Amino acid sequence: MKNYKIKLLIVLGLMLSFSCEDYLDKAPESIIDQEVAFSTFDNAQGFVEEMYALVVDYGTGAHTFQDYIYGDDAYGNRTWKGSYQIDNGDLAGLNRTNYSYLTSWQNNTYGSNNASTTSNNLSRRPGLWDGSLRGIRNANMVLASEDLMVNLSQEEKNVILGQAYFFRAFFHNEIMKFWGRFPYIKEVASGEFTPPRPTTYRECALEANEDYKRAIELLPVDWDTKSYGQKTLGENRGRLTKGAAYAFQGKNLLFAASPLMHFNNQPGINTYEYDTELCNMAVDAFAGILKLKDQGRYALSTWENYDAVFWKTPTATSWPGSTEFVFAATGGDKTTLQRFMTAGMDRAIHGQSGSEIVSPTHNFIYNNFGMANGLSIEDDLSGQYGPTLYDPTKPFENRDPRFYRWVVVDRDVIGTKATIPANRRQARLYTGGLNRSNGSDNQPSTTGYMHKKFYPIGEDGEFHSIWNNIISQYVGMRLHMRLTDVYLMYAEALHAAKGATTAPGSYSLTAEAAINALRSRAGIPNVLPSIVSDNNKFMDELRRERSVELSYEAHRWVDIRRWGVAHEEKYRRKTSLEFPQDWSSFSENLLVERVCEYPKHYWIPFEAKQTRIYEGFPQNPGW
């Protein structure tokens, strides 16, 4: 066995606190021998803790905190950030930018950065590329040291190894989502190391699946019920569990089964064709966490309490997510979180200096946020499904309740208190209005909408503002996995494998029933039988439901790529809604036509020097 010098994070002699403000505040670093690092549970867990800090929080992990929505769902005011490079087809530029969560802010090249996992500012920690590689190495160091854990009980050893297996799979998945098929590294690299690049994404995913299966066997359902969890009682919610391993196992398999990965960059991609074998495996994995839900471990949030998923968690040291929480990156400082929470609103309202603006695009809202009758606008206007609700001259009326809950439109009441200036009490999002951009970087909405999904609103209906400062009471959501996402992925995988109305052997829920559970929560009707019976139409409806429920949660760019639709015109257009103050007319205005060719712009290219180190590591197509 090779002996390594290991940097171990010693936190008060025990384990890492997951609280927001105190995270790693008291974490002196020590360099110790491998034998010492794994000689006790506290030391071994201390080493594992760094892998939690290497998980990138998409919403706060970039140097410019609000530049995390890379799909067609939002338009960023600044034109020199990561989303701008994606819009313009400059995916190679993402390898060089300091402004994306994909790379570390302090250095714009792979392989050398001085970002630190001990930084309380999440944008100063390693980016997704370098952090994931470091996480893979750390996981392999833990697994290679199993024989040294002689002083650990079997239960303690299990949870150490379970976390390492999970993280090895998870960090490979993080790279794979953006760069595609990647060598599955299962040893601590030293000297000459030249693993060939796999020929398919599926190969990598099946390797990760084995690690997730091991993690499921070894991780607990609840840390608080274990003797080792008693040391950090009250701070265990963010730690890895059996439920998280089931959820990410299913996600890994569904992504590998998706059209982009299934067609492996070949011509003739069919957005409705999945790898059904992998879909069936994904369904069985999701069934594992859904059974834990049935046992009371998780629960879908009610509509009345849904804000608790996104922001309504009292005190800045509490974990957000309510009963839906499955897993997320660890927290950071309050200032960063507050900038994220206010990203969709006019700076003049919330007063957060340094916060930038991301405006919901009209194209995304029109194509996805449907009507109160449960239909998309397109289906509603078709007249095939009953009376029409959508009126183009009254575009804000009769909409899906989630539209009103998460999107701010013109004339919405922001506040009524006497201290609020009269011209700031309502949103003024008409063309030329007070909350519309004049073209400057830090000006308000560019699209005619703002979003409030993560934005605090008091029990009295008053928005947080500089005249009603309540934001310090709350913590913004951390973006990785919640139970609603599990339902959506379960339904997608099950429908692709067996259809809308057939339940699998591993669980009693059909894809139709899973989606209707989410629609029922929002108060909209079930999917119509005529849509359910049409396989492609129902898949479209599943995807629209996913787009609405997970809107502005950093899933969109990955989703439209894995579905193989990002190059279609519908997903390349970013538009605004233009209208005068009196609402006498409404028109759509093109802001940007995104550059996207299949398959070139579906994967970020590897930096050239990475592909020249040795033969057998081909570049992504088109680069």
Side-chain angles (χ1 to χ4, degrees):
M1 177 181 293
K2 296 178 181 177
N3 187 277
Y4 304 100
K5 294 291 184 179
I6 291 177
K7 183 174 73 173
L8 177 64
L9 298 180
I10 306 293
V11 184
L12 302 179
L14 294 174
M15 291 183 282
L16 187 64
S17 167
F18 278 79
S19 65
C20 251
E21 291 183 293
D22 299 331
Y23 178 63
L24 286 176
D25 280 357
K26 301 174 181 177
E29 298 179 3
S30 302
I31 304 297
I32 62 177
D33 287 332
Q34 183 184 10
E35 289 84 355
V36 176
F38 297 102
S39 62
T40 69
F41 175 75
D42 291 349
N43 281 3
Q45 184 62 28
F47 183 71
V48 167
E49 297 293 349
E50 187 183 35
M51 287 185 274
Y52 286 93
L54 290 168
V55 177
V56 173
D57 180 72
Y58 306 142
T60 56
H63 177 56
T64 43
F65 307 108
Q66 284 67 49
D67 190 31
Y68 72 98
I69 304 178
Y70 290 161
D72 62 336
D73 41 347
Y75 185 82
N77 283 28
R78 292 197 171 180
T79 58
W80 40 267
K81 301 186 294 180
S83 57
Y84 175 79
Q85 291 168 311
I86 292 171
D87 286 351
N88 286 274
D90 182 23
L91 270 61
L94 291 172
N95 297 332
R96 301 185 299 270
T97 183
N98 286 335
Y99 297 98
S100 171
Y101 60 79
L102 296 167
T103 55
S104 294
W105 81 282
Q106 293 179 338
N107 195 296
N108 58 13
T109 56
Y110 292 157
S112 60
N113 73 83
N114 56 347
S116 172
T117 53
T118 63
S119 177
N120 203 26
N121 185 330
L122 300 191
S123 70
R124 303 314 194 247
R125 293 188 195 164
L128 187 143
W129 168 265
D130 42 293
S132 296
L133 289 177
R134 184 165 160 180
I136 292 168
R137 180 177 176 82
N138 284 3
N140 282 327
M141 291 174 74
V142 173
L143 297 173
S145 304
E146 179 178 359
D147 291 344
L148 300 178
M149 302 178 193
V150 293
N151 296 318
L152 280 67
S153 69
Q154 189 60 51
E155 188 176 63
E156 290 173 334
K157 184 185 293 188
N158 285 349
V159 75
I160 296 295
L161 297 174
Q163 291 171 97
Y165 279 121
F166 177 95
F167 277 127
R168 185 165 71 180
F170 174 85
F171 286 122
H172 276 95
N173 283 162
E174 287 292 271
I175 292 175
M176 290 158 60
K177 282 193 303 185
F178 299 102
W179 281 270
R181 52 198 168 89
F182 190 75
Y184 205 84
I185 303 168
K186 295 193 288 187
E187 60 183 280
V188 182
S190 61
E192 185 176 351
F193 187 68
T194 58
R197 190 178 185 194
T199 57
T200 67
Y201 190 104
R202 192 181 202 271
E203 295 173 55
C204 319
L206 288 175
E207 291 273 18
N209 185 55
E210 293 302 312
D211 277 351
Y212 283 126
K213 286 163 62 177
R214 296 185 187 99
I216 289 166
E217 294 172 0
L218 298 170
L219 289 170
V221 171
D222 184 350
W223 277 65
D224 286 353
T225 64
K226 301 297 182 179
S227 58
Y228 52 75
Q230 296 299 303
K231 297 178 179 180
T232 48
L233 200 63
E235 296 185 346
N236 289 325
R237 193 174 184 207
R239 300 185 189 282
L240 290 172
T241 61
K242 201 177 294 292
Y246 275 126
F248 281 94
Q249 179 194 22
K251 182 176 183 177
N252 167 59
L253 291 166
L254 172 61
F255 279 29
S258 296
L260 174 64
M261 294 72 165
H262 178 49
F263 277 82
N264 199 31
N265 308 319
Q266 297 304 306
I269 187 170
N270 178 355
T271 186
Y272 299 111
E273 185 176 328
Y274 287 68
D275 183 325
T276 56
E277 180 185 12
L278 293 183
C279 281
N280 279 315
M281 293 168 63
V283 167
D284 291 343
F286 291 130
I289 184 173
L290 291 173
K291 289 173 183 176
L292 292 175
K293 182 268 301 181
D294 292 343
Q295 296 168 19
R297 175 65 180 166
Y298 307 96
L300 286 175
S301 173
T302 64
W303 184 247
E304 293 72 24
N305 295 322
Y306 210 8
D307 290 335
V309 174
F310 307 111
W311 59 267
K312 199 174 183 179
T313 303
T315 81
T317 57
S318 297
W319 278 82
S322 71
T323 56
E324 289 210 12
F325 177 82
V326 178
F327 181 70
T330 52
D333 62 281
K334 258 200 289 189
T335 300
T336 303
L337 289 169
Q338 289 174 6
R339 287 173 176 173
F340 165 68
M341 295 169 72
T342 57
M345 297 288 290
D346 183 354
R347 293 176 69 173
I349 295 173
H350 57 70
Q352 291 291 314
S353 62
S355 181
E356 293 159 13
I357 312 299
V358 282
S359 306
T361 54
H362 177 64
N363 52 281
F364 179 78
I365 288 174
Y366 182 89
N367 291 330
N368 296 288
F369 281 93
M371 306 305 296
N373 58 14
L375 294 171
S376 68
I377 291 177
E378 180 182 8
D379 286 341
D380 180 74
L381 290 174
S382 73
Q384 298 179 32
Y385 305 100
T388 297
L389 288 182
Y390 185 73
D391 183 346
T393 68
K394 300 175 181 178
F396 309 138
E397 294 185 5
N398 300 316
R399 301 296 292 272
D400 183 323
R402 293 168 292 191
F403 172 74
Y404 301 112
R405 187 143 196 170
W406 297 329
V407 178
V408 178
V409 300
D410 190 48
R411 302 183 188 175
D412 276 358
V413 175
I414 303 297
T416 61
K417 292 185 176 182
T419 53
I420 303 175
N423 65 349
R424 291 290 184 181
R425 294 177 188 175
Q426 284 185 305
R428 299 184 178 220
L429 288 162
Y430 54 86
T431 304
L434 194 62
N435 301 124
R436 284 296 289 268
S437 173
N438 64 7
S440 175
D441 275 354
N442 293 320
Q443 289 295 320
S445 172
T446 51
T447 65
Y449 303 93
M450 297 185 291
H451 86 78
K452 55 184 176 179
K453 196 168 193 179
F454 312 113
Y455 198 86
I457 301 172
E459 298 292 343
D460 55 2
E462 301 277 328
F463 282 51
H464 160 76
S465 69
I466 56 177
W467 310 280
N468 182 44
N469 195 332
I470 61 173
I471 197 169
S472 61
Q473 302 172 42
Y474 303 108
V475 177
M477 179 190 179
R478 296 163 195 170
L479 308 168
H480 269 292
M481 182 71 72
R482 60 188 180 95
L483 192 61
T484 290
D485 192 4
V486 172
Y487 270 72
L488 291 162
M489 291 189 292
Y490 171 86
E492 182 182 344
L494 179 55
H495 177 57
K498 299 184 184 302
T501 59
T502 301
S506 55
Y507 198 62
S508 60
L509 199 66
T510 65
E512 178 188 17
I515 290 305
N516 284 338
L518 303 181
R519 291 164 70 99
S520 176
R521 171 174 63 185
I524 59 174
N526 291 346
V527 183
L528 291 175
S530 57
I531 293 177
V532 174
S533 63
D534 183 325
N535 282 341
N536 290 356
K537 188 72 174 173
F538 186 66
M539 181 61 80
D540 291 340
E541 198 67 5
L542 291 180
R543 291 175 179 177
R544 188 174 72 84
E545 194 69 26
R546 179 174 179 83
S547 302
V548 171
E549 280 287 350
L550 301 184
S551 56
Y552 316 118
E553 295 180 38
H555 294 276
R556 181 68 173 174
W557 191 48
V558 174
D559 281 340
I560 61 175
R561 287 167 43 242
R562 70 180 179 88
W563 294 333
V565 297
H567 64 290
E568 296 178 7
E569 182 179 9
K570 179 179 179 179
Y571 304 92
R572 287 190 286 109
R573 291 168 54 85
K574 286 188 176 183
T575 65
S576 64
L577 185 64
E578 304 298 331
F579 53 96
Q581 186 173 3
D582 64 1
W583 292 10
S584 58
S585 65
F586 292 88
S587 61
E588 186 176 20
N589 175 58
L590 180 65
L591 295 172
V592 62
E593 182 90 19
R594 286 154 65 90
V595 176
C596 186
E597 301 172 6
Y598 170 79
K600 178 177 181 178
H601 296 104
Y602 276 73
W603 300 115
I604 299 172
F606 294 93
E607 195 175 31
K609 69 179 182 180
Q610 298 296 312
T611 64
R612 294 171 184 161
I613 294 175
Y614 60 89
E615 293 183 4
F617 199 98
Q619 181 58 279
N620 277 325
W623 298 98

